[in-house]
């Protein structure tokens, strides 16, 4: 046993007696990472990967005390198939880091842990520090949508940053891959593309499962690499050490009940719930824990209510994915608390990432891979050793009944296996023989098309849901507020805090948006909440009126007809979330005014330091120069009028102004970064001699707010100049003048801005903007190009923050 690893492991678990499994130590000590981790449920896969990552990154008790394995990326990304109780994964990892005295916040030089679950908090807490080691935790909905440049639950203008940081310098750990559905094929394709396209820093994937089949990863672009994949599984030494768990008895009984087609009616469902409730109460052992897993949220809610009526004195629990974080946190605390007599009703959300054990288990028929996970929540540690001590009961679902969210064929296949078993302990379970489900497959062209973050002409985005889930599209998020008839009056409701957001499936959301339950979405172009008059789309974040109901703190999100009209309790939290609008320049509204020339030099210096910190050498010169030119367009008359809108403003050409109150430019949609890019091209570009480096700098300048990227066109409803022959786009008019400006050793002469490159084909400025940006995408690839624009943006953020810190008399 590696003594250094043993000490790390025991310190993390605060136990000098605890010994890791041999496979856990091998994962840390072996020179190369495997691609596949084939380990039974309940044997510490989360600890194995996290401890190995820490060990290889040189972390020991108290700090980094060993050399870094350069093949181990800085960021460990835990991608979980289910939403519910990801808090348990976070709490476990934070506990280990705390015991090692290396847990910190981003920016402190330690190891930080972050949720990526929607809301702006998960941007502010981690993305600003790409040079630091950190653990990111999220569901496949949140993580894969961001890896596809269509991040759910976040501003579109931040998509490129998360895309860049999730494809460069990351170790992706896909947990319980048998539950991922379409997301599994997407994870494989993205890994293949990371081998095809250039990366700034190497990344890799690790797929974990108790029922793993190598062939599941054989997608069209990854299949040729499969023969080289390495798998890590159990050895005889592991089996000997884990014998108590692996040989645990779990008696399986014949079906106690069947879900029939009659359950599709209200009376039929009521009869099913009442009979199931009675059976559970009869089989439950007082003083022990019983776990009941149903396939649908609505059935779980009804069963829980029925059981609660019979067990009013007990602290039973309902667990599913349709709760707000505030309530989920309370559930997690209760779940981890020792209770001598409890019944837990749950959905399949409890199958992965939840470390609990029950003496009695009830489960509805489900696909075999799901059943294997459910069985792992009964007698998990082998603590019930007597024959018939731990018991498992299953409820059949007839072929012509409502089998959703599963397909009838998958249930038939599982039933054929179940009827042959009388014990479902780990040693008795047959391996899975099913094929990876057919789903949409992300191809090279699809990924490149997604790099353009502009919405389509309808104002919406390419729907990536088919690449993320195949059993019901990924849902959306809703939150509730108290307001009158219009959330924009007297002023627009602020954006949601993460703790307010409740995930909802599209099927459950079918009644959202109807006249009796109006929903609102934020329109960044119109700068206001707009009423939803169409079907909700995957990934949307919707505002609902609390007075209309739809949520209960104990039951979670409630579909129409289930006590839906009870007013929703409002989550008390700081409402500091800004609704991002296209024309916003909120980073230019500060407490301290800053001259533009000073700011440009400061950002260039921050870019230089950042390139050194993350090891960017290939294009460091272009990143630094783009940082130096990024805000030259702020010298534009429109921007300077906004800077000097109050008499207290500092004299001179400003980058930041301390004028109080909102800042609204005289031209709608004005984007200073477009003016900056045009000024750069006017002086550095030769239409007759294309220069990819000059184009790269122009792109990095234009893209530094995420609002001017691959395409260049006027915005909807944008006010044109009086001269109809003048081109215009994003508030910039052809013929606009920028004054001369000296900054950080460079000179921007007085320049007239031209917009011929917004036209297709060759023109007076040479190649069009679209031609140039597509050429850059082809040259650098999507992962590296996004990385470079992220470095410029982060340098701007860091320099701006330092300017305000230096200008604050308090020094804080």
């Amino acid at each position: 046993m590696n003594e250094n690893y043993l000490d790390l492991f025991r310190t993390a678990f605060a136990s000098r007696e605890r010994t890791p499994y041999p496979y856990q130590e091998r994962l840390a000590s072996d020179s190369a990472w495997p691609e596949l981790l084939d380990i039974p449920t309940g044997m510490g896969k989360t600890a194995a990967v996290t401890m190995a990552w820490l060990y290889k990154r040189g972390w020991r008790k108290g700090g980094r005390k060993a050399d870094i394995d350069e093949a181990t990326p800085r960021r460990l990304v835990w991608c979980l198939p289910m939403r519910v109780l990801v808090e348990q994964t976070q709490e476990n990892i934070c506990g280990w880091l705390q015991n090692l005295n290396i847990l910190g916040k981003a920016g402190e030089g330690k190891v930080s842990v972050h949720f990526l679950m929607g809301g702006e908090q998960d941007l502010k807490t981690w993305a600003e520090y790409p040079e630091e080691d950190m653990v990111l935790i999220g569901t496949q909905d949140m993580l894969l949508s961001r890896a596809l440049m269509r991040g759910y639950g976040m501003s579109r203008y931040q998509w490129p940053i998360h895309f860049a940081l999730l494809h460069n310098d990351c170790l992706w750990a896909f947990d319980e891959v048998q539950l991922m559905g379409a997301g599994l094929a997407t994870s494989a394709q993205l890994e293949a593309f990371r081998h095809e396209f250039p990366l700034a820093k190497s990344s890799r994937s690790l797929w974990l499962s108790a029922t793993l089949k190598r062939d599941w990863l054989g997608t069209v672009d990854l299949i040729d690499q499969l023969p080289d994949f390495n798998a890590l599984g159990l050895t005889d030494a592991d089996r000997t050490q884990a014998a108590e768990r692996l040989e645990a008895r779990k008696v399986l009984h014949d079906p106690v009940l069947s879900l029939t087609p009659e359950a599709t009616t209200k009376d039929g469902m009521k009869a099913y719930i009442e009979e199931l409730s009675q059976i559970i109460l009869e089989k439950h052992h007082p003083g022990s824990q019983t776990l009941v897993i149903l396939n649908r949220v609505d059935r779980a809610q009804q069963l829980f209510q029925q059981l609660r009526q019979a067990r009013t004195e007990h602290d039973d629990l309902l667990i599913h994915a349709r709760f707000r974080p505030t309530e989920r946190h309370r559930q997690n605390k209760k779940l981890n608390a020792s209770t001598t007599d409890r019944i837990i009703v749950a959905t399949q959300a409890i199958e992965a990432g939840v470390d609990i054990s029950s003496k009695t288990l009830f489960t509805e028929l489900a696909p075999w891979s799901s059943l294997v996970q459910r069985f792992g929540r009964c007698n998990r540690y082998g603590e019930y050793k007597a024959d018939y001590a731990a018991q498992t009961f299953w409820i059949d679902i007839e072929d012509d009944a409502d089998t959703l969210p599963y397909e009838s064929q998958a249930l038939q296949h599982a039933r054929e296996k179940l009827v042959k078993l009388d014990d479902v302990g780990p040693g008795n379970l047959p391996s899975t023989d099913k094929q990876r489900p057919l789903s949409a497959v992300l191809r090279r062209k699809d990924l490149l098309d997604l790099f353009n973050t502009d919405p389509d002409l309808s104002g919406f985005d390419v729907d990536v849901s088919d690449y993320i889930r195949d059993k019901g599209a990924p849902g959306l998020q809703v939150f509730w507020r108290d307001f009158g008839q219009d959330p924009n009056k007297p002023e627009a409701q602020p954006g949601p805090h993460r703790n307010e957001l409740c995930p909802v499936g599209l099927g459950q959301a079918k009644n959202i948006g109807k006249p009796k339950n109006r929903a609102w979405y934020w329109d960044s172009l119109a700068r206001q909440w707009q009423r939803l008059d169409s079907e909700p789309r995957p990934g949307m974040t919707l505002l609902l009126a609390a007075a209309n109901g739809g949520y209960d703190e104990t039951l979670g999100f409630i579909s129409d007809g289930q006590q839906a009209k009870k007013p929703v309790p409002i989550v008390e939290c700081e409402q500091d979330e800004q609704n991002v609008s296209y024309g916003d320049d909120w980073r230019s509204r500060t407490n301290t005014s800053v001259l533009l020339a000073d700011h440009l030099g400061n950002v260039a210096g921050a870019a230089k330091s950042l390139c050194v910190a993350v090891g960017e050498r290939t294009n460091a010169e272009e990143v630094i120069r783009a940082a130096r030119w990024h805000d030259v367009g702020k010298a534009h008359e429109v921007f300077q009028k906004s800077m000097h809108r109050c008499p207290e403003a500092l004299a001179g050409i400003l980058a930041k102004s301390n004028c109080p109150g909102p800042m609204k430019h005289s031209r709608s949609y004005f984007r200073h970064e477009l003016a900056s890019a045009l000024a750069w091209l006017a002086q550095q570009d030769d239409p007759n001699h294309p220069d990819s480096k000059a184009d790269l700098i122009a792109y990095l300048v234009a893209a530094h707010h995420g609002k001017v990227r691959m395409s260049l066109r006027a915005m909807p409803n944008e006010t044109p100049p009086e001269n109809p022959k003048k081109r215009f786009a994003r508030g910039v008019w052809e013929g606009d003048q920028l004054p001369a400006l000296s900054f950080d050793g460079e000179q921007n002469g007085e320049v007239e801005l031209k917009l011929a490159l917004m036209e297709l084909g060759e023109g007076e400025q040479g190649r069009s903007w679209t031609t140039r940006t597509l050429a850059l995408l082809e040259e650098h690839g999507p992962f590296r190009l996004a990385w470079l624009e992220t470095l410029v943006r982060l340098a701007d953020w860091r320099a701006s923050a330092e300017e305000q810190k230096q200008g604050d008399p308090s020094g804080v």
Side-chain angles (χ1 to χ4, degrees):
M1 179 67 69
N2 182 322
E3 291 299 324
N4 288 328
Y5 177 77
L6 181 62
D7 182 67
L8 177 79
F9 188 91
R10 286 179 168 173
T11 302
F13 281 91
S15 171
R16 305 313 297 177
E17 306 300 321
R18 184 158 182 165
T19 301
Y21 291 117
Y23 91 86
Q24 294 175 319
E25 190 270 337
R26 293 201 314 276
L27 187 63
S29 298
D30 288 354
S31 58
W33 284 95
E35 285 75 22
L36 312 173
L37 192 61
D38 190 0
I39 303 295
T41 184
M43 287 197 61
K45 294 189 290 293
T46 303
V49 175
T50 304
M51 290 298 141
W53 175 77
L54 288 170
Y55 186 80
K56 289 175 178 287
R57 291 293 302 171
W59 293 99
R60 304 293 186 267
K61 182 179 181 181
R64 199 192 302 275
K65 299 180 179 180
D67 293 338
I68 298 173
D69 171 26
E70 293 301 324
T72 300
R74 279 189 175 98
R75 288 177 288 282
L76 172 60
V77 182
W78 275 107
C79 183
L80 307 176
M82 302 293 182
R83 286 187 179 93
V84 71
L85 294 177
V86 289
E87 286 91 345
Q88 189 172 85
T89 300
Q90 184 200 34
E91 287 182 6
N92 287 340
I93 294 175
C94 286
W96 301 331
L97 297 175
Q98 187 72 53
N99 291 338
L100 289 164
N101 197 25
I102 56 175
L103 177 66
K105 297 179 180 179
E108 293 181 348
K110 293 187 175 184
V111 181
S112 54
V113 182
H114 309 274
F115 267 153
L116 272 67
M117 295 292 288
E120 289 301 302
Q121 291 83 2
D122 66 32
L123 172 68
K124 297 174 182 175
T125 53
W126 71 276
E128 297 184 3
Y129 299 95
E131 72 272 37
E132 290 196 356
D133 288 9
M134 55 183 61
V135 181
L136 309 177
I137 305 170
T139 63
Q140 68 185 65
D141 295 49
M142 288 297 172
L143 288 169
L144 290 182
S145 66
R146 296 171 197 223
L148 294 172
M149 194 75 92
R150 289 299 182 276
Y152 293 166
M154 63 179 293
S155 165
R156 69 169 58 250
Y157 309 124
Q158 307 297 346
W159 287 348
I161 296 177
H162 286 215
F163 178 86
L165 297 181
L166 289 172
H167 285 295
N168 292 282
D169 218 356
C170 282
L171 169 60
W172 281 78
F174 296 99
D175 197 13
E176 307 299 359
V177 300
Q178 74 282 355
L179 304 177
M180 288 183 65
L184 179 58
T186 300
S187 73
Q189 285 294 95
L190 289 174
E191 179 67 13
F193 296 144
R194 286 192 287 268
H195 285 273
E196 176 183 351
F197 293 113
L199 295 174
K201 301 287 286 186
S202 65
S203 291
R204 63 182 308 117
S205 295
L206 177 61
W207 289 275
L208 298 78
S209 175
T211 54
L212 184 64
K213 288 188 67 176
R214 182 187 296 255
D215 293 347
W216 290 348
L217 300 175
T219 56
V220 60
D221 291 297
L222 192 65
I223 191 169
D224 290 341
Q225 300 176 36
L226 281 188
D228 299 326
F229 275 20
N230 294 312
L232 181 66
L234 298 185
T235 63
D236 289 342
D238 291 294
R239 295 186 184 92
T240 298
Q241 186 172 331
E244 197 169 76
R245 292 187 179 216
L246 297 177
E247 297 172 6
R249 294 291 311 278
K250 308 176 187 185
V251 176
L252 178 67
H253 296 269
D254 292 335
V256 294
L257 185 63
S258 292
L259 182 70
T260 66
E262 285 71 29
T264 57
T265 68
K266 184 176 181 179
D267 289 341
M269 179 56 65
K270 183 174 183 292
Y272 171 75
I273 294 298
E274 289 177 349
E275 186 174 358
L276 179 56
S277 173
Q278 188 60 40
I279 295 171
I280 293 168
L281 292 172
E282 292 174 358
K283 302 296 184 181
H284 173 69
H285 291 265
S288 72
Q289 181 160 278
T290 292
L291 175 62
V292 185
I293 306 178
L294 304 185
N295 298 343
R296 296 271 293 272
V297 172
D298 56 348
R299 291 204 291 267
Q301 288 173 328
Q302 292 178 57
L303 177 62
F304 178 76
Q305 289 175 288
Q306 186 75 26
L307 289 170
R308 189 166 57 173
Q309 292 175 11
R311 290 171 52 84
T312 56
E313 301 300 319
H314 294 81
D315 195 18
D316 294 337
L317 277 176
L318 173 64
I319 304 293
H320 59 74
R322 312 307 182 198
F323 282 98
R324 298 179 298 197
T326 300
E327 284 75 43
R328 281 207 311 271
H329 180 69
R330 295 175 194 159
Q331 290 174 328
N332 197 36
K333 290 183 69 174
K334 290 182 179 180
L335 193 63
N336 292 331
S338 57
T339 302
T340 57
D341 193 330
R342 180 168 62 184
I343 297 176
I344 299 174
V345 179
T347 64
Q348 58 269 41
I350 207 168
E351 290 174 9
V354 182
D355 189 13
I356 63 170
S357 183
S358 60
K359 184 175 184 179
T360 306
L361 172 72
F362 286 84
T363 175
E364 287 184 329
L365 183 64
W368 182 247
S369 58
S370 292
L371 289 176
V372 170
Q373 295 301 312
R374 298 180 187 192
F375 297 150
R377 272 67 190 168
C378 177
N379 201 13
R380 185 175 181 84
Y381 318 115
E383 65 270 35
Y384 300 109
K385 297 177 173 58
D387 289 344
Y388 297 97
Q391 302 186 62
T392 303
F393 301 91
W394 63 287
I395 300 108
D396 197 10
I397 298 179
E398 295 184 2
D399 294 340
D400 52 353
D402 182 3
T403 63
L404 292 177
Y406 304 120
E407 296 177 358
S408 178
Q409 185 177 1
L411 300 188
Q412 293 171 11
H413 179 74
R415 186 189 297 116
E416 292 172 0
K417 292 181 179 291
L418 278 179
V419 296
K420 299 175 183 177
L421 298 173
D422 57 14
D423 190 293
V424 288
N428 298 313
L429 298 178
S431 60
T432 183
D433 51 5
K434 75 169 187 176
Q435 301 300 310
R436 177 174 56 83
L438 294 176
S439 62
V441 176
L442 182 78
R443 299 307 307 272
R444 185 182 195 273
K445 182 180 182 302
D446 301 321
L447 181 67
L448 295 177
D449 287 346
L450 289 169
F451 195 80
N452 187 347
T453 53
D454 282 343
D456 60 27
L457 295 178
S458 70
F460 290 105
D461 298 291
V462 176
D463 183 2
V464 297
S465 61
D466 285 344
Y467 301 130
I468 297 175
R469 288 196 185 275
D470 57 348
K471 294 294 187 295
L476 47 105
Q477 297 188 101
V478 299
F479 66 105
W480 291 265
R481 292 275 176 78
D482 284 321
F483 57 88
Q485 297 298 314
D486 188 344
N488 297 294
K489 297 178 180 178
E491 58 184 22
Q493 289 283 327
H497 188 281
R498 176 194 295 165
N499 288 341
E500 296 179 278
L501 293 170
C502 177
V504 180
L506 281 183
Q508 290 179 308
K510 60 185 177 181
N511 293 309
I512 289 179
K514 293 185 177 180
K516 292 183 179 180
N517 193 21
R518 285 296 185 197
W520 306 76
Y521 67 94
W522 179 253
D523 187 330
S524 62
L525 296 181
R527 295 186 173 190
Q528 65 179 6
W529 293 99
Q530 301 278 27
R531 193 171 66 189
L532 180 69
D533 291 323
S534 60
E535 292 290 325
R537 295 168 63 97
M540 295 185 82
T541 298
L542 299 177
L543 168 61
L544 304 176
N548 290 339
Y551 187 88
D552 180 90
E553 291 174 297
T554 302
L555 299 177
F557 182 83
I558 304 173
S559 301
D560 187 55
Q562 289 182 277
Q563 301 178 358
K565 295 308 176 186
K566 179 182 175 183
V568 178
I570 301 299
V571 174
E572 298 296 333
C573 52
E574 294 183 14
Q575 300 296 347
D576 59 352
E577 300 310 309
Q578 301 188 44
N579 289 310
V580 179
S581 300
Y582 186 85
D584 278 349
D585 271 311
W586 65 269
R587 289 185 182 273
S588 300
R589 305 192 306 268
T590 57
N591 296 324
T592 302
S593 295
V594 180
L595 291 171
L596 178 56
D598 293 342
H599 178 64
L600 296 175
N602 294 338
V603 176
K608 182 177 181 180
S609 298
L610 184 56
C611 285
V612 171
V614 298
E616 174 55 49
R617 299 178 181 87
T618 305
N619 294 108
E621 180 181 344
E622 290 81 7
V623 168
I624 295 168
R625 200 155 191 209
R628 186 175 292 121
W629 277 77
H630 79 291
D631 271 354
V632 164
K634 286 187 174 182
H636 195 288
E637 180 184 15
V638 168
F639 194 90
Q640 287 306 304
K641 283 184 177 179
S642 297
M643 290 287 95
H644 293 88
R645 65 191 184 280
C646 69
E648 296 83 10
L650 187 70
I653 299 178
L654 296 179
K656 315 281 184 182
S657 172
N658 65 346
C659 286
M663 182 178 77
K664 186 176 182 180
H665 297 308
S666 59
R667 293 184 193 170
S668 298
Y669 310 118
F670 177 79
R671 296 311 315 167
H672 66 270
E673 62 267 35
L674 173 57
S676 301
L678 295 176
W680 163 264
L681 288 173
Q683 298 171 84
Q684 306 293 333
D685 183 45
D686 183 350
N688 299 315
H689 298 89
D691 182 354
S692 64
K693 288 189 175 182
D695 286 343
L696 176 59
I697 292 172
Y699 173 80
L700 298 180
V701 168
H704 84 267
H705 283 289
K707 299 180 179 181
V708 183
R709 298 184 68 250
M710 298 298 291
S711 61
L712 183 56
R713 63 174 187 256
M715 302 300 292
N717 305 317
E718 184 172 348
T719 303
E722 292 182 3
N723 183 346
K725 295 183 178 180
K726 277 189 176 183
R727 301 182 181 95
F728 65 97
R730 322 290 170 110
V732 177
W733 296 353
E734 196 162 51
D736 285 350
Q737 300 282 330
L738 288 188
L741 182 71
S742 297
F743 55 96
D744 201 35
E746 296 216 36
Q747 175 70 35
N748 176 45
E750 184 175 343
V751 62
E752 178 181 316
L753 303 182
K754 298 180 179 179
L755 280 166
L757 47 60
M758 68 183 291
E759 307 284 354
L760 296 177
E762 296 277 339
E764 61 183 275
Q765 288 179 278
R767 296 160 302 141
S768 70
W769 180 259
T770 299
T771 299
R772 294 170 191 244
T773 56
L774 288 176
L776 290 172
L777 183 59
E778 183 65 28
E779 177 184 354
H780 298 278
F783 307 133
R784 183 159 180 78
L785 187 56
W787 169 258
L788 296 176
E789 66 177 285
T790 295
L791 294 183
V792 175
R793 295 183 71 174
L794 296 187
D796 186 20
W797 295 2
R798 290 187 175 188
S800 298
E802 186 62 28
E803 289 165 353
Q804 297 309 304
K805 182 179 178 181
Q806 291 180 1
D808 184 350
S810 68
V812 297

